[in-house]
Amino acid sequence: MNGEQIGDSPRPIKVLIAASRQMGSASAKSRDDEKAQRLFIITPKDFSEDQLYEQFSKYGAIEDVTIVRDRKTRDGKQFAYIKYKK
């Protein structure tokens, strides 16, 4: 999905593998499992959790979709995390 456009947005998304904070102390095998489980997505500002869920659920069962939002305005900060079920 990296570099693809979703919906009516002319801007492509960027998809990266997300590392958790605990990965520094975990074994190599569990780190590889965790890496494959979480994605970091740079999205257009008007994206919703539902849109991301719909697009990424075709690649596996999703446990959680979270768009990072501004604490005061609740506007999306143009990035999100997707966590897949193991």
Side-chain angles (χ1 to χ4, degrees), residues 11-38:
R11 296 185 63 194
I13 62 170
K14 186 167 186 167
V15 180
L16 305 162
I17 294 173
S20 69
R21 293 181 185 181
Q22 296 90 5
M23 285 186 61
S25 62
S27 70
K29 171 121 175 64
S30 65
R31 278 185 278 181
D32 288 342
D33 290 345
E34 180 72 14
K35 273 187 191 179
Q37 192 178 4
R38 295 180 68 227

Side-chain angles (χ1 to χ4, degrees), residues 6-13 42-52 67-69 74-79:
I6 296 178
D8 297 333
S9 176
R11 296 185 63 194
I13 62 170
I42 298 174
T43 67
K45 193 172 188 170
D46 60 345
F47 265 40
S48 71
E49 283 89 350
D50 291 339
Q51 286 174 299
L52 290 172
I67 293 179
V68 179
R69 299 188 179 280
R74 302 303 299 153
D75 290 336
K77 288 189 171 185
Q78 295 185 283
F79 61 96

Side-chain angles (χ1 to χ4, degrees), residues 47-62:
F47 265 40
S48 71
E49 283 89 350
D50 291 339
Q51 286 174 299
L52 290 172
Y53 187 90
E54 181 181 321
Q55 291 298 317
F56 283 87
S57 64
K58 53 186 150 190
Y59 300 107
I62 293 177

